Amino acid sequence: MDDLWERLERLGLRRGTAGLERPAPEARLDIHHLVPGEVVSTPLGNFFLHEERYPLDHRHGRTCLGQVWDVDPSRVEALLGSALPGPLDLRRALYVDTETTGLAGGTGTYAFLVGVGFFEGNQFRLLQFFMRDYHEELPLLHHLAEQFADPPTLVTFNGRNFDVPLLHTRWIAARLSPRWTQTPHLDLLPPSRRLWKSRLESCSLASLEWHILGVRRASEDVPGWMVPSLYFRYVQTRDAREMKRVLYHNAQDILSLVTLASVLGEVASRPLDPARPCTDCYSLATWLEEQGRWEEAEALYRRALAGPLAPDQRQRAMLRLALLLKRQGKREEAIPLWAALAESPRVGLLALEELAKWEEWHHGDLWAARRFCQKGLELAGVWLRGPARRRAEAEFQHRLARLERKLGLWGTAEGAQAGDPSGSPAPPTGEWP
DNA sequence: GACGTATGAGCCTTCCTAGC
DNA sequence: GCTAGGAAGGCTCATACGTC
């Protein structure tokens, strides 16, 4: 718009001429007056570009940007790479975050600010592509696609569901070829959830910054939910003072992408780090277990259980460790865990069933197996209702009938009341008899 | 050979949660 | 308000193994 006014002035058409009135004096508060940068001219029009450069030792929270250089790509790939088609080199990635006119997606939502960051030499370069009005979208998208046609990897936060599909839609709406369709993409949200969900109430980027990265944003930051309304107001008034804050917000998001990737990379590189909190040990153990890294998972479950855990998480850790030991053929090592879990209404029946299996099929004490079945039958009636109760009771009845057949009690008068010749008392729940 | 049991994979449903 | 993905739980099925 300023181009138009400058052209009018060059033509000698002053303010108020021909019914054309320059907007209020706030025009001098437009983005290029408040933020260092350049108005990029392209054959398709103009847009505003702001650039920042950070040294590798620039500290963002507790982490320096350059720490991402210490991350071994092969280790990152081993943990995070299951969704990626190739190696994951965080040093060569393009870190992307957009600010948009809403969340709705579809053709009505614009990405009015696209921030991209990448390492170049001994610096981290941050470019912010900003459209000062809707007609600047086409040159912005065109320039973005030209400059970053084929990055080796994308790193985003929830970008798999939000930023990248939105940019694809904008490129298509602008009749340009969508980019980054085949680019390997590391979305940091899923791994962050996997690792920290059990410890944090929220895994939003703001929460991760506060609790994991140690980032404290300056007062000029704006909350994400305000961004669309601030942009709408800017387009109407040309007063970019609030947009300066949005650019700051976007820049901070991108720096957080780098340091968050670095922290996740560190976790991938050293999963057994002794300094890791026990809640994180548990989360990481479940992750490694899924990837078939059973020995590391077992070590992490044990470390988690050695520290303070919330009761619910402790129970989950014991259950998962017991199942993992069983899968590894270490059934006997799992027995104390099953015995402890037999107290719990949620998993107690499973524990009693496992104890009965152990006694019947591996330890060979049919009387002990019978006692566990009787206990399970009794507790199913207490803990469960409806179909779940009927299923559990049928399961224990079936096992009990077989055991009594083997013991020679089936069909005899003493049947269900038969005593235990070993003379040992009935098993207290939760204790190994 | 018939039968019973354990195991793991795969599928489905439900609920929750990030992005601006 | 939209959307995709993850977690958890439940279910079925195929396979392998042991026992009688």
Side-chain angles (χ1 to χ4, degrees):
Chain A
M1 185 63 81
D2 240 35
D3 300 344
L4 172 64
W5 293 112
E6 281 158 17
R7 266 183 277 154
L8 286 172
E9 284 181 358
R10 276 202 300 277
L11 290 168
L13 298 170
R14 298 293 176 186
R15 300 178 64 165
T17 309
L20 290 168
E21 202 155 336
R22 192 182 185 107
E26 286 78 2
R28 291 295 164 196
L29 294 173
D30 206 344
I31 193 78
H32 43 281
H33 296 296
L34 300 183
V35 178
E38 59 170 320
V39 176
V40 177
S41 292
T42 80
L44 298 170
N46 304 339
F47 67 91
F48 182 73
L49 177 65
H50 172 65
E51 177 173 354
E52 294 274 356
R53 288 170 185 256
Y54 302 88
L56 296 184
D57 61 0
H58 176 83
R59 188 167 281 279
H60 183 67
R62 285 189 285 269
T63 313
C64 291
L65 297 181
Q67 277 176 247
V68 91
W69 287 71
D70 300 333
V71 175
D72 177 358
S74 65
R75 297 305 299 260
V76 180
E77 195 186 351
L79 188 66
L80 306 174
S82 56
L84 296 167
L88 177 57
D89 190 346
L90 296 173
R91 296 165 296 189
R92 296 181 63 235
L94 188 66
Y95 298 81
V96 179
D97 184 52
T98 64
E99 308 304 323
T100 70
T101 57
L103 287 175
T107 51
T109 303
Y110 288 76
F112 68 84
L113 173 62
V114 182
V116 296
F118 53 95
F119 288 96
E120 189 179 75
N122 288 327
Q123 290 182 318
F124 182 71
R125 276 183 77 189
L126 169 64
L127 300 178
Q128 290 177 301
F129 296 70
F130 180 74
M131 62 184 221
R132 294 168 298 174
D133 212 329
Y134 295 100
H135 67 274
E136 293 194 346
E137 186 194 31
L138 181 60
L140 185 157
L141 290 173
H142 184 262
H143 200 72
L144 179 68
E146 291 280 300
Q147 292 284 302
F148 301 99
D150 192 20
T153 307
L154 293 177
V155 177
T156 64
F157 192 82
N158 199 30
R160 197 175 292 281
N161 297 322
F162 186 73
D163 303 79
V164 172
L166 184 82
L167 282 171
H168 284 172
T169 303
R170 297 320 308 169
W171 269 315
I172 290 167
R175 302 189 179 191
L176 299 169
S177 302
R179 303 299 172 123
W180 307 345
T181 50
Q182 303 299 319
T183 305
H185 182 174
L186 172 61
D187 184 341
L188 297 176
L189 172 61
S192 299
R193 270 196 184 141
R194 282 222 70 154
L195 199 54
W196 295 301
K197 191 182 176 191
S198 53
R199 176 145 68 102
L200 305 180
E201 270 189 23
S202 160
C203 281
S204 66
L205 189 55
S207 170
L208 295 169
E209 279 183 354
W210 185 268
H211 294 102
I212 305 298
L213 303 177
V215 172
R216 304 290 179 262
R217 293 207 180 193
S219 56
E220 68 180 293
D221 191 39
V222 288
W225 59 268
M226 283 181 67
V227 168
S229 60
L230 293 177
Y231 184 69
F232 295 141
R233 196 183 310 160
Y234 160 72
V235 170
Q236 284 181 332
T237 65
R238 320 305 306 173
D239 180 347
R241 280 175 293 185
E242 296 297 320
M243 281 303 99
K244 193 179 172 187
R245 299 174 66 192
V246 173
L247 262 74
Y248 168 83
H249 172 85
N250 178 256
Q252 293 296 298
D253 278 358
I254 290 181
L255 297 183
S256 291
L257 290 183
V258 179
T259 50
L260 184 59
S262 174
V263 170
L264 283 166
E266 193 274 333
V267 171
S269 301
R270 295 192 300 141
L272 300 179
D273 181 356
R276 199 173 307 294
C278 52
T279 45
D280 293 3
C281 287
Y282 167 73
S283 302
L284 187 55
T286 67
W287 200 356
L288 293 172
E289 184 189 349
E290 255 175 46
Q291 298 196 340
R293 294 163 68 175
W294 291 352
E295 282 184 17
E296 290 163 292
E298 183 188 331
L300 284 167
Y301 281 131
R302 290 189 190 281
R303 195 177 299 167
L305 287 167
L309 283 179
D312 186 56
Q313 199 173 37
R314 174 166 297 278
Q315 193 184 88
R316 284 177 186 280
M318 289 169 73
L319 176 63
R320 295 194 73 136
L321 176 58
L323 290 169
L324 178 60
L325 290 168
K326 179 184 168 188
R327 203 180 311 141
Q328 292 180 100
K330 304 175 183 174
R331 290 169 189 273
E332 197 160 3
E333 289 182 47
I335 297 304
L337 294 165
W338 292 128
L341 288 168
E343 283 285 12
S344 156
R346 217 169 60 87
V347 294
L349 295 179
L350 173 65
L352 288 165
E353 186 183 346
E354 291 299 329
L355 289 168
K357 282 179 190 173
W358 161 256
E359 289 296 353
E360 179 180 358
W361 300 105
H362 305 282
H363 192 228
D365 186 341
L366 300 186
W367 289 102
R370 179 170 176 258
R371 287 196 300 274
F372 285 123
C373 286
Q374 287 170 329
K375 194 73 196 170
L377 205 49
E378 177 194 329
L379 291 175
V382 177
W383 287 338
L384 301 178
R385 292 284 175 272
R389 174 178 171 174
R390 284 192 289 278
R391 257 199 315 273
E393 284 178 340
E395 177 72 29
F396 279 114
Q397 287 282 16
H398 179 72
R399 202 174 290 278
L400 194 57
R402 184 181 60 245
L403 283 162
E404 292 185 346
R405 256 199 323 272
K406 287 184 181 178
L407 287 163
L409 302 174
W410 193 73
T412 65
E414 56 273 28
Q417 292 87 37
D420 179 350
S422 69
S424 57
T429 54
E431 271 180 53
W432 181 234

